[in-house]
Amino acid sequence: MSHAVAELLTILDLERIEENIFRGRSPQVGWQRVFGGLVVAQALVASARTVEGRAPHSLHGYFLLPGDPAAPIVYEVDRLRDGKSFTTRRCNAIQHGRAIFSLSASFQIEEEGLEHAVAMPDVPKPETLPSETEMVARFGDLMPAPIRRWFASDRPIEARPVDLSRYVRHAAGAPKQCVWLRATGPLPDDPGIHRAVLAYLSDMTLLDTALIAHGHFVFDAELQIASLDHALWFHRPFRADEWLLYAQDSPNSFGARGLTRGLLFSHDGSLVASVMQEGLIRPKAHRT
């Protein structure tokens, strides 16, 4: 297991402080604020630990304040409903006495029903694409420095973009992209861990999709960029340590906000999850 994956699993194993109250922390890797996907994943873990015999099928969250990586995050779970088929939880993530994130999650018993799903896009398989190390070696000099550092860093999630031109041409294009993602090491067999890791990686590259139409990157210094909300639906079983195709597009940007959506497919083409997110995209010169 890679060091980064081991660290992520440790961080996702929240400390129980009291009934319905948990404590988490952030990795100390020099981030200026807590990664949004980490807060989503930890809030899901906290909520799931108050539910027995049911798996989450959807979650909806709002990012309220930037998280402080140097401070622990306290997660308070409200048990809103325990029905015959569905269970509902609300979880607030708190730092310095204020809520930084609020999550609502729904859990369901296992049931049979009608089935259909859209087909996975016809894209190259991850085994045919260059690894992150190969990307940096071959194209690093053409990449913006923050993108190059991101691909070269030790992270728990590996990314293999289907179209590398996004990172070397620096030009506007259609706001869509496909990226293969997986944990950089094997994960335990617990499905709850795989759902938490998918929640974590679902915040990666998504908001950046809205910027493709304008020739920008999520690391652009002239833009103020932040996730505002995040919605995730789990459809089918999967493993987050096996390749998942994240097919993303952005149908709209307006009013200093960009809307993005994504479908996550397993390597064999099964649709396993859907995601939507709106984010703040504001030129810093207009900041108030």
Side-chain angles (χ1 to χ4, degrees):
M1 181 181 299
S2 74
H3 171 76
V5 168
E7 174 76 356
L8 177 61
L9 292 178
T10 299
I11 288 172
L12 291 176
D13 187 15
L14 303 180
E15 175 189 0
R16 182 186 293 271
I17 300 175
E18 184 52 87
E19 187 74 10
N20 304 328
I21 303 177
F22 305 86
R23 179 162 50 209
R25 63 180 181 86
S26 299
Q28 300 304 297
V29 292
W31 293 346
Q32 293 184 343
R33 61 188 180 190
V34 177
F35 172 53
L38 178 62
V39 185
V40 174
Q42 288 183 331
L44 176 61
V45 169
S47 300
R49 289 190 176 178
T50 69
V51 178
E52 293 291 338
R54 300 179 180 192
H57 68 90
S58 70
L59 60 85
H60 301 259
Y62 281 94
F63 297 95
L64 306 176
L65 291 170
D68 177 4
I73 307 173
V74 174
Y75 294 90
E76 295 184 351
V77 181
D78 290 334
R79 301 180 183 231
L80 297 182
R81 179 176 182 267
D82 292 287
K84 293 182 179 180
S85 300
F86 292 88
T87 293
T88 307
R89 295 290 185 262
R90 180 172 57 216
C91 180
N92 288 329
I94 300 170
Q95 278 189 321
H96 307 302
R98 298 189 296 175
I100 65 169
F101 179 73
S102 181
L103 179 83
S104 294
S106 182
F107 300 75
Q108 183 188 12
I109 62 172
E110 186 174 346
E111 297 186 63
E112 296 293 328
L114 303 176
E115 292 190 23
H116 78 274
V118 298
M120 183 174 74
D122 184 13
V123 300
K125 295 295 186 180
E127 297 83 3
T128 68
L129 299 171
S131 68
E132 293 179 336
T133 300
E134 292 169 337
M135 280 190 290
V136 172
R138 291 165 57 184
F139 307 109
D141 291 343
L142 301 175
M143 295 179 179
I147 298 293
R148 184 173 62 251
R149 288 194 297 268
W150 186 78
F151 277 122
S153 64
D154 182 22
R155 292 175 288 104
I157 305 299
E158 178 183 2
R160 294 193 182 182
V162 169
D163 183 5
L164 292 177
S165 65
R166 157 85 173 122
Y167 303 99
V168 298
R169 289 181 184 169
H170 322 309
K176 58 183 180 180
Q177 64 176 335
C178 289
V179 183
W180 289 98
L181 300 169
R182 69 173 177 182
T184 56
L187 300 173
D189 290 334
D190 181 359
I193 291 176
H194 290 264
R195 286 190 289 266
V197 173
L198 185 144
Y200 176 91
L201 66 81
S202 70
D203 192 36
M204 295 175 60
T205 73
L206 188 57
L207 187 53
D208 193 53
T209 308
L211 301 174
I212 297 176
H214 312 282
H216 289 288
F217 295 89
V218 73
F219 297 113
D220 282 1
E222 65 268 26
L223 295 176
Q224 181 188 4
I225 299 173
S227 301
L228 297 173
D229 61 8
H230 195 85
L232 168 61
W233 295 265
F234 296 104
H235 304 312
R236 291 172 178 81
F238 63 90
R239 291 190 66 92
D241 54 3
E242 297 178 354
W243 286 114
L244 298 169
L245 179 69
Y246 205 176
Q248 307 159 59
D249 74 336
S250 174
N252 183 73
S253 287
F254 184 79
R257 301 184 315 276
L259 180 67
T260 53
R261 56 191 179 184
L263 300 176
L264 283 149
F265 298 88
S266 61
H267 192 278
D268 65 4
S270 298
L271 178 63
V272 302
S274 299
V275 188
M276 290 196 75
Q277 181 181 96
E278 190 172 48
L280 175 70
I281 304 173
R282 174 192 290 158
K284 287 186 176 178
H286 296 167
R287 184 176 180 179
T288 58

